[in-house]
């Protein structure tokens, strides 16, 4: 049975590796065995059809990031494994639209379990739907409603085109046909987060060009 474990040694390699990617560096808050990025703005993070209010950090252009790392302890094997969730947001006017979420639930491979790890979630559609509904309901008159529809149409023009981004992800299928990469240590997790940010920035810049 896995239990959560607190140890600052798990977050230091990640923080040091990611610092050059963010203007002013990067740091994390800790609550128990959960580490979350220190951010300057708040946004709604959609996970499993639930919305949670989180702090996000500016990355580049109009893109903001939320990083959560859970450190899990495996008592049976006397080892520790970080699991990662990273959400990416685009700021349009004063609103933050959640575009993507990258996750690596770093569990032991279990027979019969072949859920892709790591994996992507495309969250842009659900985030836009909720935001558009709120804007439409805010219209107190027909004139207000028309103004909000015009705002929505302008946002659609500004929104990043997710469809042309190549969403690369690491899997184990090239080695054993399985979709899960299990039991990654802190060095692998650190490099995975770093290369993920490098790759996605290039793709976002390409989509914006």
């Amino acid at each position: 049975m896995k239990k959560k474990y607190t140890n600052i040694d798990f977050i230091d390699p990640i923080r040091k590796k990611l610092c050059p990617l963010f203007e002013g560096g990067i740091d994390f808050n800790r609550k128990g065995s959960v580490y979350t990025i220190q951010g300057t703005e708040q946004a709604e993070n959609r996970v499993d059809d639930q919305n949670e209010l989180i702090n996000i950090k500016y990355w580049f252009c109009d893109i903001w990031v939320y990083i959560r790392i859970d450190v899990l302890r495996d008592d049976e094997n006397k080892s520790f494994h970080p699991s990662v969730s990273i959400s990416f947001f685009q700021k349009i006017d004063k609103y933050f639209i959640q575009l993507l979420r990258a996750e690596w639930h770093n569990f032991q491979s279990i027979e019969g379990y072949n859920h892709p790890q790591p994996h992507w979630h495309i969250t842009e559609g659900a985030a836009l739907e909720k935001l558009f509904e709120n804007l439409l309901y805010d219209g107190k008159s027909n004139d207000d409603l028309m103004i909000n529809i015009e705002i929505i149409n302008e946002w659609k023009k500004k929104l990043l085109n997710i469809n042309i981004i190549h969403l690369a992800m690491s899997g184990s299928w090239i080695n054993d046909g399985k979709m899960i990469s299990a039991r990654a240590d802190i060095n692998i997790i650190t490099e995975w987060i770093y290369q993920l940010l490098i790759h996605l920035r290039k793709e976002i810049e390409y989509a914006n060009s």
Side-chain angles (χ1 to χ4, degrees), residues 23-150:
E23 184 177 350
I26 188 175
D27 213 337
F28 290 84
N29 295 318
R30 181 180 67 174
K31 186 175 181 180
S33 61
V34 178
Y35 298 85
T36 55
I37 193 171
Q38 290 184 2
T40 57
E41 296 283 353
Q42 287 192 320
E44 284 194 346
N45 189 41
R46 185 176 179 84
V47 180
D48 297 331
D49 295 326
Q50 300 292 324
N51 291 328
E52 58 174 346
L53 194 62
I54 47 90
N55 293 322
I56 57 178
K57 182 175 177 61
Y58 176 71
W59 188 18
F60 73 100
C61 293
D62 53 1
I63 305 298
W64 296 64
V65 177
Y66 170 69
I67 302 176
R68 172 180 170 138
I69 300 169
D70 291 70
V71 179
L72 305 176
R73 175 173 176 173
D74 184 344
D75 290 330
E76 181 180 351
N77 295 285
K78 297 181 180 179
S79 57
F80 308 95
H81 309 284
S83 288
V84 183
S85 179
I86 308 174
S87 292
F88 300 89
F89 298 80
Q90 182 180 6
K91 186 176 184 180
I92 300 179
D93 296 335
K94 63 179 180 179
Y95 298 96
F96 294 96
I97 310 298
Q98 186 181 11
L99 302 173
L100 303 161
R101 188 172 75 254
E103 292 184 328
W104 192 338
H105 299 306
N106 194 15
F107 304 140
Q108 180 181 9
S109 182
I110 301 172
E111 185 176 354
Y113 177 85
N114 200 27
H115 187 66
Q117 300 291 352
H119 58 262
W120 285 104
H121 289 275
I122 310 299
T123 54
E124 173 196 57
L128 276 177
E129 181 181 352
K130 181 177 180 182
L131 184 57
F132 290 173
E133 285 179 357
N134 290 340
L135 276 177
L136 291 175
Y137 289 137
D138 282 345
K140 297 180 177 61
S141 68
N142 288 336
D143 289 340
D144 292 333
L145 182 60
M146 291 305 298
I147 291 173
N148 285 341
I149 290 176
E150 290 176 4

Side-chain angles (χ1 to χ4, degrees), residues 10-26:
F10 278 89
I11 206 65
D12 275 348
I14 295 175
R15 179 181 56 80
K16 291 175 181 177
K17 183 78 172 183
L18 300 186
C19 266
L21 304 184
F22 292 84
E23 184 177 350
I26 188 175

